């Protein structure tokens, strides 16, 4: 076999091996949180869906590890969120000073009362306290929004607060903020913050989402683009404001089918603000 043929053979062999690498093998230095086979290391909380558009909390709750309709399941090595009933699947472990990375895409199913609304889910981090603290559905946490056209917007759940460089924004009577690093810093924000730029792929295609956080700095990344940076994560406990810098990861079910894979995390070697991505 001549040198050119050996080189081609090696290239082809490498490509074939790459195709057969385990989908859920963590990259060097990373820890895989989802094994692609079952929900080991995760627990479900099903609150059931609201019965009307403006309903803020469920009329009944299934509870912890009660998922008779398979809202959260494993399909072809992916974590499937059906969206049929509302709730979340959360890690058993808690994490701090982390870089989280996961792949995400939309399915096709949608459910009442969000049949006419954009598809919606979300990745919650620093999730703490009781299940259902926010509207009966989710834990106290920061949210990396996953919604068509709005992926990586920030939401405060159950009153957690941050500081950020923002301006005013609104949707009807709903007042919130838009992120822009050139704007002045505002403190004590417990609301939605619109990310800067749109780097989502078309519905049905895989996106790579990242959260980099150390409590002092929280960064949202979409397909390699930083789109939001907030600071000073905190919560109120027993009437006192204290840092919020450790908690679970939690994935929402909120009326739309979605798929997740390659959910992996690594510890930070320095400040989140200095992390390279």
């Amino acid at each position: 076999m001549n040198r050119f043929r050996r080189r081609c053979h090696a290239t082809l062999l490498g490509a074939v091996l790459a195709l057969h690498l385990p989908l859920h093998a963590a990259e060097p230095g990373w820890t895989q949180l989802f094994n692609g086979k079952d929900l080991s290391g995760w627990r479900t909380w099903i609150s059931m869906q609201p019965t009307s558009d403006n309903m803020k909390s469920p009329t009944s709750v299934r509870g912890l590890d009660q998922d008779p309709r398979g809202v959260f399941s494993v399909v072809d090595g992916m974590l499937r969120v059906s969206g049929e009933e509302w709730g979340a699947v959360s890690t058993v472990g808690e994490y701090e000073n982390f870089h989280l990375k996961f792949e995400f895409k939309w399915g096709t199913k949608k459910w009442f009362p969000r049949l006419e609304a954009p598809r919606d889910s979300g990745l919650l981090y620093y999730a703490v306290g009781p299940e259902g603290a926010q509207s009966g559905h989710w834990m106290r946490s920061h949210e990396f929004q996953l919604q068509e056209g709005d992926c990586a917007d920030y939401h405060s759940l159950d009153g957690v607060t941050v500081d950020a460089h923002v301006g005013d924004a609104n949707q009807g009577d709903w007042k919130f903020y838009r992120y822009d690093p050139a704007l002045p810093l505002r403190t004590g924000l417990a609301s939605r913050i619109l990310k800067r730029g749109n780097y989502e792929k078309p519905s049905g295609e895989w996106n790579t989402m990242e959260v980099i956080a150390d409590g002092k700095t929280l960064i949202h990344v979409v397909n390699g683009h930083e789109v939001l940076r907030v600071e000073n994560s905190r919560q109120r406990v027993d009437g006192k404001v204290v840092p919020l810098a450790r908690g679970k990861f939690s994935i929402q079910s909120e009326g739309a089918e979605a798929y997740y894979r390659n959910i992996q995390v690594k510890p930070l070697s320095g400040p989140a603000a200095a992390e390279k991505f």
Side-chain angles (χ1 to χ4, degrees):
M1 185 182 295
N2 63 35
R3 184 179 302 172
F4 175 76
R5 290 181 63 190
R6 283 198 300 271
R7 189 183 306 121
C8 290
H9 179 75
T11 301
L12 179 60
L13 179 60
V16 170
L17 289 174
L19 287 174
H20 289 83
L21 283 173
L23 177 63
H24 298 274
E27 300 172 24
W30 296 75
T31 298
Q32 193 66 255
L33 298 180
F34 168 59
N35 65 20
K37 300 175 183 178
D38 55 39
L39 295 178
S40 297
W42 299 75
R43 301 191 74 180
T44 62
W45 167 268
I46 303 298
S47 56
M48 303 182 72
Q49 72 267 42
T51 57
S52 65
D53 287 333
N54 60 359
M55 187 175 158
K56 298 301 182 184
S57 18
T59 54
S60 59
V61 170
R62 293 198 187 276
L64 191 64
D65 296 329
Q66 301 296 317
D67 187 7
R69 294 189 176 179
V71 172
F72 300 101
S73 63
V74 180
V75 176
D76 296 330
M78 301 173 290
L79 171 57
R80 177 182 182 256
V81 179
S82 76
E84 182 177 3
E85 294 181 343
W86 291 25
V89 60
S90 305
T91 59
V92 173
E94 296 187 344
Y95 299 86
E96 61 184 345
N97 300 333
F98 65 80
H99 185 163
L100 175 74
K101 179 164 59 174
F102 62 97
E103 293 178 86
F104 160 85
K105 73 173 182 177
W106 294 113
T108 57
K109 294 182 180 296
K110 298 172 73 174
W111 305 89
F112 179 86
R114 295 189 57 85
L115 290 170
E116 305 304 320
R119 289 178 174 84
D120 194 4
S121 184
L123 183 287
L124 313 182
Y125 58 100
Y126 290 161
V128 296
E131 305 281 357
Q134 172 66 50
S135 305
H137 302 299
W138 305 293
M139 300 172 72
R140 172 178 292 182
S141 57
H142 301 291
E143 179 179 353
F144 183 112
Q145 170 73 299
L146 294 167
Q147 179 172 278
E148 290 178 310
D150 301 316
C151 284
D153 281 2
Y154 170 86
H155 282 272
S156 161
L157 271 60
D158 196 38
V160 298
T161 57
V162 295
D163 306 332
H165 295 269
V166 298
D168 294 321
N170 69 283
Q171 183 177 316
D173 294 332
W174 183 15
K175 307 296 183 182
F176 43 90
Y177 305 95
R178 59 181 180 85
Y179 171 68
D180 187 332
L183 293 174
L185 182 71
R186 293 197 193 182
T187 61
L189 307 180
S191 183
R192 179 186 186 185
I193 302 175
L194 304 180
K195 47 85 169 122
R196 190 167 183 250
N198 188 346
Y199 301 99
E200 296 171 38
K201 294 182 181 179
S203 185
E205 295 186 16
W206 287 104
N207 297 272
T208 298
M209 307 298 194
E210 299 173 70
V211 181
I212 303 165
D214 64 1
K216 296 180 180 178
T217 305
L218 318 177
I219 302 170
H220 292 186
V221 179
V222 177
N223 294 319
H225 299 272
E226 179 182 327
V227 295
L228 183 136
R229 183 178 292 227
V230 301
E231 303 171 15
N232 196 15
S233 168
R234 55 205 188 272
Q235 62 176 326
R236 185 174 292 274
V237 178
D238 297 329
K240 297 181 179 180
V241 176
V242 297
L244 174 58
R246 180 182 177 87
K248 299 178 180 181
F249 299 122
S250 190
I251 294 173
Q252 293 178 314
S253 174
E254 196 173 355
E257 183 182 40
Y259 293 89
Y260 295 79
R261 69 182 186 186
N262 293 331
I263 307 169
Q264 49 189 334
V265 66
K266 69 176 181 178
L268 298 179
S269 57
E275 188 76 359
K276 304 296 183 182
F277 53 89

